[in-house]
Every structure is written in structure tokens, then in C-alpha cells.
Amino acid sequence: MTLSKCILLVEDDSAIIELILRSLAPHGMADAVVPLRDGNAALNYLRAQGEFQGLRLQPPAVVLLDLKMSGSSGLEILHEIKDDPELQMLPVVILSASLNEREVTACYRAGANAYVRKPFSFDEFRTVIQQTVLFWMTVNQVAPATASRFSGGPAGNPAVPS
């Protein structure tokens, strides 16, 4: 599958990043994942600032955002994205092991497009990630104003500094 957009994964747990990559590999989407370990790096990517300034970046079809990260929480990053007029149209899917009703409600009030519980078994996790990402990558249409912010790097090769 040749992709011209990426999946921005904001997750501080390297084991979860690896599980997501393994889950998406059979569908040819692992190469489209831009894994970032904290929310500030994600905001820099989305705003083409800091380590991402001047790079050709692919537009994210979706931001997969861990709710409970060290440093800035996923909810804080969600607020930053949805409060930014140039980013607010980006689809953001919250990933969390929690089903705490207050957290779920807070995320939707802040503008989350979906709240997905991270299952505990690998088979369930793989299925949930595949279904979620397939929808956002193949069915959903990204808002044109959002996509135009990005110059678009080579398909399937998101620009990420090493």
C-alpha cells in the first residue's frame, strides 16, 4: 500500500509503539507511522517547529495520542491541538487502558474524535489498532485546510529526524 499521509503516534511506551508497528505491518502501514515519544515533539511536528523545522513532513491522517504519558498528558496535548486554529481539524484518537468515565468525557469535551481502550491481549490489541487505523487511513477524508499545511514528503517515508 503506497501512502501519502502518515499516522502520528504519540506514545511514551516503546513496547506499545512496537506492538502498534507489528499490528500495522501486515497491512503495509507500519512505514507510515511517525512514532514520537512525547507530546511536545508531536506539537513540534504538527507546527513544523524545533527539530522538524524546514523538513518536508507528511500530513497525518490521524493522531494516535496516548492519554497517560510522562511530562505533558495526552489531554493537555489534545487541548493544544484543538485550540490551534491551524490544527483543530486534525483527527485525534485517544489511546488509553483506562475506561474512567471522567477521562473519557474530558477527552470528548476537548475535541477527541475517538477514545479507544488499549486491550490487554495482543490479539485484541492488534485487531483494535488495525480497525482504527484502517478507518482513518482509508475511509476518512482529511480536511483540505489541514493537509495543505504540509508540503508532503515521499510516500511511505515520513520525515523524522534520527
Side-chain angles (χ1 to χ4, degrees), residues 84-102:
D84 185 326
E86 293 189 29
L87 300 175
Q88 66 188 6
M89 301 298 280
L90 275 174
V92 178
V93 174
I94 298 296
L95 300 176
S96 180
S98 170
L99 284 180
N100 178 297
E101 288 183 21
R102 286 187 194 153

Side-chain angles (χ1 to χ4, degrees), residues 20-22 24-25 27-34:
I20 290 172
L21 294 174
R22 285 180 45 204
L24 296 176
H27 295 281
M29 292 188 292
D31 289 342
V33 176
V34 176

Side-chain angles (χ1 to χ4, degrees), residues 7-89:
I7 303 154
L8 187 59
L9 173 60
V10 188
E11 170 65 62
D12 62 347
D13 185 333
S14 58
I16 298 293
I17 293 170
E18 182 59 32
L19 284 176
I20 290 172
L21 294 174
R22 285 180 45 204
S23 298
L24 296 176
H27 295 281
M29 292 188 292
D31 289 342
V33 176
V34 176
L36 298 174
R37 304 282 307 245
D38 67 73
N40 291 328
L43 292 172
N44 282 343
Y45 181 94
L46 294 171
R47 294 173 175 152
Q49 296 175 343
E51 66 269 36
F52 299 101
Q53 188 170 7
L55 297 177
R56 292 174 48 99
L57 304 173
Q58 289 181 305
V62 62
V63 177
L64 301 178
L65 180 59
D66 182 27
L67 183 60
K68 296 187 178 177
M69 296 183 287
S70 55
S72 298
S73 74
L75 186 57
E76 291 169 323
I77 300 307
L78 176 63
H79 277 289
E80 287 277 338
I81 292 170
K82 296 302 181 173
D83 289 344
D84 185 326
E86 293 189 29
L87 300 175
Q88 66 188 6
M89 301 298 280

